[in-house]
């Protein structure tokens, strides 16, 4: 089989994107693996929460299209290749972060053929805006995974950032509860129990 | 919100699964990252090829349900938590590997609530059997990613396993071509060129 020149150029663009995103495997997050052996990277994190979506779909607060949620989660952190991860307990300037992430989206998704680039940027912006049921549920899973990792590893980023239960409830709990109230009801007493024992 | 005891037990089972699969991030593959800095793990690899599926869906040889393909790829390597990665250029006893992987699937997917466990095992077995169009395409992407990593990193597992172009064509090319002939037509001359220059 020989590819027509147009077909080859299209695949070249798609592969330029798929090679560039390989760098997400080198973006390091605040959270560790469950066994605490090392910090998690944003590539493997993206796999893990796509699997969270596949497994926990039934707990979404509203009707969601789980296939769109999974696609959103596969894309959601790619901008971090340029902007780095923003730990939820950090104190970054939010509007500066947003400007940087938007430029990153244009550059990285811009490697794709035009209509595909548009499709991926649109999906990523929907996630960021967190207004549609799909995006709200995707965001709630993105917030729900780190406390599970912290409970498994014995504290993780809660210790490192010296946070209180109240901070977690405000920054994490509110967002988990918005998209998946049952998941917050499940984990809240476990987090409270960890703080009662360790803080 | 208070969870009824039944609801809590269901989430406990789902979370036992999602915590156990975290270990896939510690299963190391033969292939390196594109920059050659370290070996890739099977968790981040699973994210990467789910994104391959999302990006390259149009190149499937047959009509596929890309959402099923993505789900298959999110699950496809989980058995490696118990059985380890089997490098494609290695010389493992295939039937021993299959028995080990099947036991792993029963153990790990078995952590889930029964009907979900059945659903995930069935999807994983479909992938392994490589007979349906969805599974054939998923397998072709699983074979297509490593040569792209090797070309980017300067040879990678081709050097380590001292393979010939003919071996790659037989073990990799045939499977890529079966599910995605255009992708094999795209990469074949690049691989041939690498061998002409380096071997
Ligand atoms: Ca993030």
């Amino acid at each position: 089989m020989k590819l027509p020149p147009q077909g080859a150029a299209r695949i070249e663009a798609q592969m330029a994107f798929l090679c560039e995103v390989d760098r997400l495997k080198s973006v390091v997050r605040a959270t560790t693996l469950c066994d605490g052996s090392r910090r998690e990277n944003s590539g493997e994190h993206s796999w893990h929460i796509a699997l969270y979506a596949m497994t926990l779909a039934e707990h979404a607060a509203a009707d969601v299209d789980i296939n769109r949620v999974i696609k959103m989660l596969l894309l959601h952190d790619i901008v971090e290749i340029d902007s780095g991860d923003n730990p939820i307990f950090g104190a970054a300037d939010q509007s500066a972060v947003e400007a940087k992430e938007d430029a990153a989206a244009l550059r990285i998704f811009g490697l794709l053929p035009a209509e595909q680039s548009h499709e991926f940027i649109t999906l990523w912006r929907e996630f960021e805006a967190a207004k549609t049921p799909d995006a709200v549920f995707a965001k709630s899973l993105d917030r729900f995974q780190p406390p599970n990792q912290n409970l498994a590893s014995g504290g993780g980023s809660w210790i490192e950032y010296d946070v209180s239960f109240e901070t977690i409830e405000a920054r994490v709990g509110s967002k988990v509860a918005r998209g998946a109230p049952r998941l917050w009801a499940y984990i809240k007493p476990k987090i409270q129990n960890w703080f009662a024992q360790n803080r």
Side-chain angles (χ1 to χ4, degrees), chain A residues 183-198:
Chain A
L183 297 180
W184 181 241
Y186 157 84
I187 204 166
K188 182 181 169 180
K190 292 183 198 290
I191 303 175
Q192 285 175 312
N193 186 50
W194 185 90
F195 275 86
Q197 310 242 316
N198 296 279

Side-chain angles (χ1 to χ4, degrees), chain A residues 29 42 45 76-77 80 84-87 101 127-128 142-143:
Chain A
R29 291 166 50 81
S42 293
H45 162 77
H76 83 292
D77 269 344
E80 293 180 359
D85 180 48
N86 267 288
E101 290 189 345
F127 170 80
E128 281 298 304
D142 194 30
R143 289 288 188 269

Side-chain angles (χ1 to χ4, degrees), chain A residues 11-78:
Chain A
I11 299 178
E12 292 284 358
Q14 292 168 325
M15 291 314 303
F17 168 74
L18 287 169
C19 284
E20 180 67 14
V21 300
D22 194 68
R23 293 170 60 199
L24 193 61
K25 300 169 188 170
S26 303
V27 173
V28 175
R29 291 166 50 81
T31 317
T32 67
L33 302 192
C34 284
D35 67 8
S37 59
R38 64 167 172 81
R39 286 177 194 266
E40 183 182 51
N41 72 60
S42 293
E44 61 200 4
H45 162 77
S46 298
W47 163 72
H48 204 185
I49 61 168
L51 201 58
Y52 265 62
M54 190 172 158
T55 306
L56 302 172
E58 68 195 77
H59 305 298
D63 265 0
V64 297
D65 177 344
I66 201 62
N67 296 313
R68 291 188 79 247
V69 172
I70 290 171
K71 286 178 175 169
M72 255 179 216
L73 290 172
L74 291 173
L75 298 182
H76 83 292
D77 269 344
I78 285 177

Side-chain angles (χ1 to χ4, degrees), chain A residues 139-188:
Chain A
K139 282 267 180 193
S140 75
L141 296 174
D142 194 30
R143 289 288 188 269
F144 179 58
Q145 187 249 15
N148 280 288
Q149 304 289 109
N150 284 350
L151 285 171
S153 70
S157 61
W158 295 334
I159 296 172
E160 186 179 356
Y161 287 88
D162 193 23
V163 291
S164 65
F165 176 76
E166 290 64 38
T167 302
I168 295 172
E169 187 155 45
R171 297 207 193 174
V172 176
S174 62
K175 290 196 179 151
V176 176
R178 188 175 165 218
R182 282 204 294 269
L183 297 180
W184 181 241
Y186 157 84
I187 204 166
K188 182 181 169 180

